């Protein structure tokens, strides 16, 4: 396997897919558009990452950017029933030029994601779930920084680690909780509003001087996964490991398999590799990551190079009747297990390198 072959010498296949379940929704605020959002930000045509952005520049209690409120703008791609998806990922680029108290001292504030189901009403009103995405400060995000969260199972009744519910208060601790009978899954089955906000449930803040920008609000969903993960991706320049998932059909003759990879660096080039064997080879050829495939059966889709674009995600549907192999194309057949992984370019500390996504194996029928 020749990992050192420059991707620049190969043709580039841009990631394009019409289906929401396979395609990121990216709100870039280009041209100063609101993208279906409203809040205490001004939508500007310049200054983003790149071009347009939502600019919070005011003395306010907390930053707020939301979609789906009653009588307010809505981005329909972010609203609705999440329960049919295999996973849900939110990503957003943030940059803090200044964040100070009323006398000019640098301070830090929370920044998180809030999902609301107005049909679930508790003593404190509409209910939902919240997770912190970052701690905002001019020290933490002086340059554009991507923050993200992935919901691995939207049908989980239990709150994932780091998430809290709101709409009611715990009678003993007085901390926010979901109302009786409500669960993480019930909220995600009917998301009416999405907020990117500093209004952490259960906390109160004095006003502060915000000068921060938000761009590339990205919503990525996958179909329910097939196969089994055999190894994880090593953290890349985004701070997360690239995550590969499989969807479609495990029937070989159906020729309907999609490889989805999220949490990639922006505008990273890479291609899918596959094999009949799996192992863990650390840092092959000087790579930052681990090769999780093994054997002479390793094949490379190196004529179909993928570009992660601004969203940091790719999707690829291999032709199962013509899988690249050393001795020539082969077909997937019932009874065999094949393993898939993405090899991709990255830049760490100004040094060009490569990395690998997680790997999944699927047994075909």
């Amino acid at each position: 396997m020749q990992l050192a072959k420059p991707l620049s010498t190969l043709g580039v296949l841009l990631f394009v897919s019409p289906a929401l379940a396979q395609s990121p929704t990216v709100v870039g605020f280009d041209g100063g558009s609101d993208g279906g959002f409203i809040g205490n930000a001004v939508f500007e045509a310049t200054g983003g990452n790149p071009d347009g952005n939502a600019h919070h520049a005011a003395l306010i209690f907390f930053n707020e950017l939301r979609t789906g409120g009653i009588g307010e703008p809505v981005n329909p791609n972010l609203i609705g029933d999440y329960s049919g998806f295999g996973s849900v990922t939110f990503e957003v680029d943030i940059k803090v030029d200044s964040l100070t108290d009323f006398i000019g001292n640098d301070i830090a504030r929370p920044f998180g994601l809030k999902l609301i189901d107005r049909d679930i009403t508790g003593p404190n009103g509409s209910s939902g779930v919240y997770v912190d995405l970052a701690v905002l400060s001019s020290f933490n995000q002086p340059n554009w920084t991507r923050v993200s969260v992935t919901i691995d199972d939207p049908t989980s009744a239990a709150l994932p680690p780091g998430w809290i519910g709101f709409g009611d208060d715990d009678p003993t601790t007085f901390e926010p909780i979901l109302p009786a009978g409500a669960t993480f899954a019930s909220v995600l089955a009917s998301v009416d509003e999405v907020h990117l906000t500093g209004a952490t449930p259960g906390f109160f803040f004095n006003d502060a001087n915000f000068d921060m920008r938000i761009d590339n609000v990205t919503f990525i969903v996958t179909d329910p996964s097939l196969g089994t993960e055999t190894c994880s991706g090593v953290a890349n320049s985004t701070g997360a490991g690239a995550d590969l998932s499989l969807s479609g059909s495990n029937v070989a003759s159906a020729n309907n398999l999609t490889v989805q990879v999220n949490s990639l660096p922006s505008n990273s080039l890479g291609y899918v590799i596959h094999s009949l064997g799996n192992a863990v080879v650390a840092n092959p050829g000087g790579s930052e990551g681990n090769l999780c495939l093994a054997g002479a059966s390793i094949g490379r889709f190196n004529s179909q190079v993928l570009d992660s674009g601004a969203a940091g995600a790719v999707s690829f549907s291999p032709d199962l009747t013509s899988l690249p192999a050393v001795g020539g194309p082969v077909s997937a057949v019932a009874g065999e297990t094949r393993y898939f992984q993405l090899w991709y370019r990255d830049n760490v500390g100004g040094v060009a390198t490569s990395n690998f996504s997680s790997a999944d194996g699927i047994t075909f029928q």
Side-chain angles (χ1 to χ4, degrees), residues 14 30 35 51 56 207 232 239 287 303 332:
L14 294 178
D30 292 340
D51 304 325
H56 298 276
D207 53 11
S232 301
S287 172
S303 64

Side-chain angles (χ1 to χ4, degrees), residues 38-295:
I38 196 172
N40 51 18
V42 176
F43 301 100
E44 299 177 345
T46 60
N49 188 34
D51 304 325
N53 68 106
H55 188 190
H56 298 276
L59 182 66
I60 49 180
F61 289 110
F62 50 82
N63 67 288
E64 173 83 356
L65 200 62
R66 62 185 181 272
T67 183
I70 296 174
E72 295 182 342
V74 59
N75 186 315
N77 291 331
L78 278 63
I79 302 301
D81 182 359
Y82 293 3
S83 65
F85 300 130
S87 67
V88 177
T89 298
F90 283 91
E91 298 179 343
V92 58
D93 294 344
I94 56 176
K95 181 175 182 287
V96 181
D97 293 318
S98 176
L99 179 54
T100 62
D101 63 17
F102 68 99
I103 59 173
N105 295 316
D106 289 315
I107 60 173
R109 286 290 178 84
F111 176 69
L113 171 70
K114 186 183 290 184
L115 306 175
I116 295 175
D117 178 2
R118 291 193 298 266
D119 296 328
I120 302 175
T121 303
N124 298 333
S126 296
S127 304
V129 293
Y130 172 90
V131 66
D132 281 323
L133 295 176
V135 176
L136 297 176
S137 78
S138 59
F139 298 103
N140 291 342
Q141 299 92 20
N143 302 307
W144 283 105
T145 302
R146 177 171 296 171
V147 297
S148 67
V149 63
T150 295
I151 302 167
D152 292 318
D153 182 6
T155 65
S156 170
L159 289 161
W163 288 81
I164 62 173
F166 61 89
D168 199 355
D169 297 320
D170 185 287
T172 302
T173 65
F174 303 106
E175 294 180 347
I177 58 173
L178 283 168
T183 66
F184 186 71
S186 65
V187 172
L188 267 62
S190 182
V191 175
D192 295 311
E193 301 179 30
V194 174
H195 295 218
L196 294 166
T197 181
T200 307
F203 287 81
F204 300 92
F205 301 97
N206 293 322
D207 53 11
N209 291 295
F210 279 78
D211 187 357
M212 68 167 292
R213 299 174 185 271
I214 294 178
D215 200 2
N216 299 321
V217 178
T218 304
F219 180 66
I220 306 167
V221 297
T222 65
D223 288 334
S225 295
L226 298 171
T228 303
E229 183 175 293
T230 57
C231 76
S232 301
V234 173
N236 55 40
S237 58
T238 72
D243 182 57
L244 180 146
S245 61
L246 303 175
S247 61
S249 172
N250 64 348
V251 177
S253 61
N255 196 13
N256 178 24
L257 183 70
T258 297
V259 179
Q260 174 81 28
V261 185
N262 299 327
S263 299
L264 290 164
S266 297
N267 304 310
S268 172
L269 303 181
Y271 53 72
V272 173
I273 55 179
H274 73 99
S275 75
L276 290 171
N278 69 301
V280 177
V281 180
N283 313 117
S287 172
E288 294 290 316
N290 297 327
L291 173 64
C292 301
L293 311 184

